[in-house]
Amino acid sequence: MSLDKMEPSAEILNGSEILVRALAEEGVELVFGYPGGSVLNVYDAIGKQDKFKHVLVRHEQGAIHMADAYARTSNKVGVAIVTSGPGATNAVTGIATAFADSIPLVVITGQVHTFAIGQDAFQEVDTVGITRPCVKHNFLVKDVKELAITIKKAFHIAKTGRPGPVVIDLPKDITADKCEYIYPKVMELRSYRPVLKGHLGQIRKALALLTTAERPLIHIGGGVVSANASELLQRFASELGIPVTSTLMGLGAMKSNDKKFLGMAGMHGTYEANMAMQNSDVLLAIGARFDDRVIGLPKQFAQTGHRIIHVDVDPSSISKRVHVDVPIVGDVKVVLADMLNQLEQIEERPDPEKMASWQNNINEWRAVRCLDYVNSDRVIKPQYVLQKLWEIGGEDLIVASDVGQHQMWCAQYLPFSKPRRWLTSGGLGTMGVGLPYGIGACKASPSSPVAVVTGDGSIQMNIQELATAKQERVAPKIILLNNNYLGMVRQWQELEYGKRYSQSHMEVTPDFKVLAEAYGHIGIVVEKPEDVEPVLRDAFGKYRDQLVFIDFHVDPTENVWPMIKAGSGLTEMLLGSEKI
């Protein structure tokens, strides 16, 4: 490790003062957190400074989710502070959620005094041990002289290479101990040097495969979004005329109205996207990791004999689930820039006749119109609500989704055309993220309209953050698709368990309108299809500056189609109830 341009300071600060000073030097503008005994010194220091603001949440899980959404929306490192023991364990779900989706966070957890560690002290847990499987790295600070450099390391690790959460476990006595404040300006770690530039020879191999392919396809993931490579991706796809599919996390990186975009692939992906994934002869995966929900049964996916090119900053993601023919390790944005530069130096392009034939195949799959649904003038269809939401919210709308049927309907029916407008838990599938995500997005982008799409199961997991929204004066629109079920669980029970709906029916739910009003917000119940549009227009117009909680009573029998059952291949899609 080398510390360049360190500027010694004569200031003597305690650990808490060092922490808040270092956060300010990292450009932190907002911290989410919840105080407790072991971090009271830290909160005292926060109260004395004016470099960044603090958002008081109502549960530590909410703090991590808000910091996560702030990072996804702003392209900055999210920061959260929680206390020791239950504060740290409450934060674990949020940390694991960010880890699964490669979101850069720095989470400061309080810890008991250093002399009490390992003594079963009050509110002591082994935070380092508990979080080790779900962080990019973690630290236990045992000497105040190491605190400043640890903070610098944490931010460096969180935001470089494949991003992820870093935990700093901070004992209470360290927050009170004093030392000279020295903060490094530049950080280099000999043991951690992510490869950013892809191997030029591998890039040339990839282009040779793509330009001679008969049925080429580009498959993108969240790595394109996190690398800010959307514009380069669109230029590359346009230059070669290659169709594009996306993971759940990659939505928005490719304009959905581009004719080359086939939609999301995988378990609830479009028919055309899945058929193209299975029938391509050369597949270029960029910032995606061939998740089990994307490729279906690996054995079937491998049967086509297609050649796979995989671009990813994380070498451990390459050939992890599928065999890759041309691996390219590097930052997605840097690699795409090099691929475009190489294209300018060669004349080879995919054969127009073969590409036309490939496009004809795709058009036939598109003609299936797998996302068509039968609307109703009697009962509210969730797909209709989302289509009207997009029509009224506009393309700058940020959508924070919880997890379940509503999440998949968002992915299918909201035509995202910009990155960082779609916030959801993809890798971990965490129910309860929607409301805190919406608050975090409002804080990161206060001029953007924000909608939280949720279900009656998910919303109740962190509904207490309605108080945070009121205190922070943020105004996301809560779109509750209320079907009185754990909808995705019910759908699986219908298809896989003989319609035995064991414990998936929410027999008792609150009056959400009254509950929202109790927190000081506007609550509305919508039960008729003809009321959907006017209520949404009021929410984004008349009540623009207020949080509006809209309880849409939707068809409880509606399922998400297409669907691939567990253990099935990409081409074994169910397209609707008539195909069961």
Side-chain angles (χ1 to χ4, degrees):
M1 177 188 67
S2 65
L3 304 179
D4 299 333
K5 302 178 182 179
M6 288 180 60
E7 299 177 1
S9 168
E11 277 191 285
I12 303 298
L13 304 178
N14 66 33
S16 298
E17 293 166 337
I18 289 171
L19 174 61
V20 297
R21 181 75 64 87
L23 292 179
E25 292 209 36
E26 286 294 334
V28 172
E29 299 174 342
L30 201 61
V31 171
F32 302 86
Y34 199 94
S38 67
V39 289
L40 283 181
N41 292 334
V42 173
Y43 272 86
D44 189 54
I46 289 174
K48 294 176 181 177
Q49 60 82 47
D50 60 0
K51 300 298 183 182
F52 59 82
K53 295 181 180 180
H54 181 278
V55 173
L56 176 63
V57 302
R58 298 307 186 266
H59 190 281
E60 290 89 354
Q61 182 180 346
I64 312 301
H65 290 329
M66 289 181 206
D68 176 340
Y70 180 87
R72 294 182 196 234
T73 307
S74 68
N75 192 32
K76 299 176 182 177
V77 177
V79 180
I81 300 175
V82 300
T83 194
S84 63
T89 57
N90 283 345
V92 169
T93 297
I95 294 168
T97 300
F99 180 71
D101 288 344
S102 304
I103 306 302
L105 298 182
V106 170
V107 180
I108 295 99
T109 58
Q111 185 54 276
V112 300
H113 290 78
T114 53
F115 62 78
I117 293 176
Q119 302 298 313
D120 294 329
F122 176 67
Q123 291 195 332
E124 178 194 0
V125 296
D126 179 8
T127 301
V128 168
I130 289 171
T131 61
R132 185 174 288 119
C134 61
V135 295
K136 191 174 179 184
H137 197 68
N138 57 20
F139 300 91
L140 172 60
V141 182
K142 296 182 178 180
D143 187 332
V144 70
K145 296 184 182 69
E146 297 295 318
L147 179 54
I149 194 171
T150 298
I151 296 167
K152 188 69 177 181
K153 288 179 184 178
F155 276 87
H156 176 68
I157 293 170
K159 65 187 177 183
T160 56
R162 180 179 178 177
V166 178
V167 167
I168 301 174
D169 201 27
L170 189 56
K172 186 169 184 179
D173 53 322
I174 303 301
T175 67
D177 290 347
K178 295 182 178 182
C179 71
E180 188 177 33
Y181 176 69
I182 301 174
Y183 199 68
K185 299 300 180 184
V186 178
M187 174 60 61
E188 291 183 7
L189 300 172
R190 285 181 294 178
S191 60
Y192 172 72
R193 292 186 175 178
V195 175
L196 301 181
K197 192 169 180 63
H199 191 281
L200 196 57
Q202 294 294 88
I203 288 174
R204 288 171 178 156
K205 285 182 184 178
L207 292 178
L209 280 176
L210 288 168
T211 54
T212 57
E214 296 184 7
R215 302 180 305 280
L217 183 68
I218 297 172
H219 177 60
I220 62 172
V224 178
V225 176
S226 64
N228 297 310
S230 301
E231 183 179 344
L232 291 178
L233 163 74
Q234 293 168 27
R235 282 175 52 196
F236 184 77
S238 179
E239 180 68 26
L240 293 178
I242 298 178
V244 178
T245 65
S246 175
T247 68
L248 178 71
M249 301 302 300
L251 293 174
M254 186 77 181
K255 292 183 178 180
S256 60
N257 61 359
D258 191 310
K259 292 182 179 180
K260 293 184 295 299
F261 186 60
L262 309 185
M264 182 178 70
M267 178 172 283
H268 294 292
T270 66
Y271 185 76
E272 54 267 32
N274 285 343
M275 293 299 288
M277 287 279 285
Q278 191 68 11
N279 289 280
S280 62
D281 63 344
V282 175
L283 177 62
L284 168 61
I286 308 176
R289 55 190 177 87
F290 293 105
D291 181 80
D292 57 294
R293 289 295 177 101
V294 170
I295 66 168
L297 188 65
K299 184 183 296 185
Q300 194 221 42
F301 186 71
Q303 286 175 350
T304 63
H306 46 202
R307 307 292 295 278
I308 296 178
I309 307 158
H310 193 176
V311 180
D312 204 293
V313 74
D314 181 6
S316 71
S317 291
I318 296 178
S319 289
K320 188 174 185 178
R321 300 197 72 248
V322 300
H323 171 73
V324 172
D325 300 280
V326 183
I328 303 175
V329 178
D331 180 88
V332 165
K333 190 172 185 177
V334 175
V335 172
L336 276 171
D338 285 344
M339 294 180 90
L340 283 164
N341 288 336
Q342 288 296 308
L343 274 179
E344 292 178 358
Q345 300 174 31
I346 62 175
E347 296 182 359
E348 292 83 359
R349 295 293 185 273
D351 182 89
E353 290 186 8
K354 293 176 180 177
M355 289 297 288
S357 176
W358 178 223
Q359 187 60 53
N360 286 337
N361 289 340
I362 290 171
N363 290 340
E364 290 177 5
W365 296 324
R366 270 184 166 149
V368 172
R369 299 182 64 86
C370 66
L371 297 182
D372 282 1
Y373 68 96
V374 179
N375 204 2
S376 171
D377 58 4
R378 181 182 57 83
V379 63
I380 299 173
K381 295 291 183 177
Q383 302 95 320
Y384 174 72
V385 174
L386 294 176
Q387 288 174 325
K388 286 299 176 182
L389 170 66
W390 189 262
E391 177 185 315
I392 293 164
E395 65 175 14
D396 287 327
L397 179 68
I398 297 174
V399 177
S401 167
D402 261 306
V403 172
Q405 286 181 314
H406 55 274
Q407 178 190 33
M408 294 299 104
W409 283 318
C410 283
Q412 293 174 334
Y413 292 95
L414 300 181
F416 297 102
S417 59
K418 298 178 181 180
R420 302 190 182 277
R421 297 292 192 277
W422 166 236
L423 315 178
T424 195
S425 171
L428 198 64
T430 306
M431 292 175 67
V433 299
L435 179 54
Y437 270 11
I439 296 170
C442 286
K443 299 300 290 186
S445 184
S447 63
S448 299
V450 175
V452 173
V453 180
T454 186
D456 45 299
S458 287
I459 190 62
Q460 295 184 77
M461 290 194 170
N462 275 308
I463 201 165
Q464 72 282 344
E465 301 306 335
L466 284 172
T468 305
K470 186 66 177 179
Q471 184 167 327
E472 290 297 318
R473 296 179 176 85
V474 294
K477 313 310 174 191
I478 314 300
I479 312 300
L480 172 59
L481 302 180
N482 188 348
N483 58 13
N484 282 117
Y485 276 95
L486 298 175
M488 192 60 81
V489 175
R490 182 202 59 76
Q491 178 167 338
W492 279 64
Q493 289 173 333
E494 178 181 326
L495 300 178
E496 302 268 5
Y497 296 91
K499 299 184 179 181
R500 294 184 296 276
Y501 302 122
S502 176
Q503 306 305 312
S504 58
H505 183 213
M506 306 288 279
E507 294 182 16
V508 176
T509 55
D511 184 329
F512 289 106
K513 176 182 182 297
V514 174
L515 184 58
E517 291 171 347
Y519 278 105
H521 304 297
I522 295 174
I524 302 173
V525 177
V526 181
E527 297 178 313
K528 299 177 181 179
E530 61 265 28
D531 294 332
V532 170
E533 183 172 347
V535 166
L536 285 171
R537 291 199 180 279
D538 280 349
F540 286 93
K542 181 179 178 181
Y543 304 120
R544 180 188 305 273
D545 298 325
Q546 294 173 270
L547 187 152
V548 184
F549 193 119
I550 313 174
D551 180 7
F552 289 101
H553 291 193
V554 300
D555 184 353
T557 67
E558 195 71 14
N559 286 333
V560 181
W561 307 111
M563 177 181 175
I564 300 172
K565 288 186 177 183
S568 299
L570 273 182
T571 58
E572 300 173 315
M573 284 167 279
L574 298 175
L575 300 181
S577 57
E578 76 283 357
K579 301 292 179 69
I580 296 175

